[in-house]
Amino acid sequence: MPAVPSKLAARFDNIRDQVDAAEMYAADGATMSAMQNLVSAIAGIRSIIEPAPGQQRHPMPLEQLITTVEGALHRRTAEDVAAVPWVAEAIGQHSPRIRALGEVAAMAEQQYRAALVEWISRDWTCLCVVSCDEDPATACSLSGQQHVHPEIPSRPGVYGPCPAHPDAPGDR
């Protein structure tokens, strides 16, 4: 009777298959399918190395943590080992300073993502070209003083160059 593979071995096989499929799709020029397979592989890897939400993880005894990290250092760099989420979490449980730094890093990461989203979501159609006196967000503020671009009388809804910054890029 053949040996039944463990659940963990089956999960590794599934991840390997997804990476292989991604490589094949990429070679064929199907980038979206390649990305979808890579994202699935990443999710599979994370499900192995990160605890499930709500799962309580008891602190690893310090001796066991040191032995695990020393063993990992035979095959990986210290940076690679530190990048594993459960390792950082376990070390943080034994070092309040590192735990505090991790919390600051997590908060900075959230602020960074929020700033990226805000920048990406920004309305880039008004680059000091068109504005309206009813919406201060679109009024020109290059000088630090709010002012409005004048409407061209013969062309309703079309605004002229910025009176305070006639040479500003996009102000034509």
Side-chain angles (χ1 to χ4, degrees):
M1 181 178 234
V4 177
S6 71
K7 286 183 181 179
L8 186 58
R11 290 167 77 183
F12 279 114
D13 288 341
N14 186 34
I15 292 167
R16 190 175 300 113
D17 291 343
Q18 289 168 335
V19 171
D20 290 344
E23 187 176 23
M24 186 177 60
Y25 281 125
D28 290 341
T31 54
M32 288 305 292
S33 296
M35 289 294 288
Q36 288 171 346
N37 275 277
L38 283 178
V39 168
S40 296
I42 291 168
I45 292 168
R46 283 194 170 145
S47 72
I48 292 172
I49 63 174
E50 294 176 356
Q55 176 183 345
Q56 291 296 325
R57 185 175 276 221
H58 298 289
M60 181 184 284
L62 184 58
E63 296 80 14
Q64 182 184 353
L65 177 60
I66 291 169
T67 303
T68 302
V69 169
E70 287 175 344
L73 287 173
H74 289 293
R75 292 172 279 141
R76 295 179 175 84
T77 65
E79 289 80 11
D80 292 337
V81 175
V84 177
W86 72 262
V87 171
E89 180 184 321
I91 292 171
Q93 290 170 347
H94 293 282
S95 173
R97 179 177 165 269
I98 290 177
R99 181 175 50 248
L101 286 171
E103 290 167 0
V104 169
M107 189 168 60
E109 177 68 16
Q110 288 175 345
Q111 291 173 341
Y112 171 71
R113 295 269 181 237
L116 284 175
V117 168
E118 187 274 329
W119 192 90
I120 291 167
S121 303
R122 182 175 168 192
D123 180 11
W124 288 97
T125 57
C126 177
L127 296 175
C128 194
V129 175
V130 175
S131 60
C132 125
D133 58 357
E134 295 164 3
D135 184 4
T138 62
C140 182
S141 63
L142 285 174
S143 63
Q145 183 178 16
Q146 295 287 348
H147 57 276
V148 177
H149 293 226
E151 188 172 16
I152 297 175
S154 61
R155 300 175 69 194
V158 178
Y159 296 83
C162 174
H165 310 103
D167 58 342
D171 246 346
R172 303 274 180 253

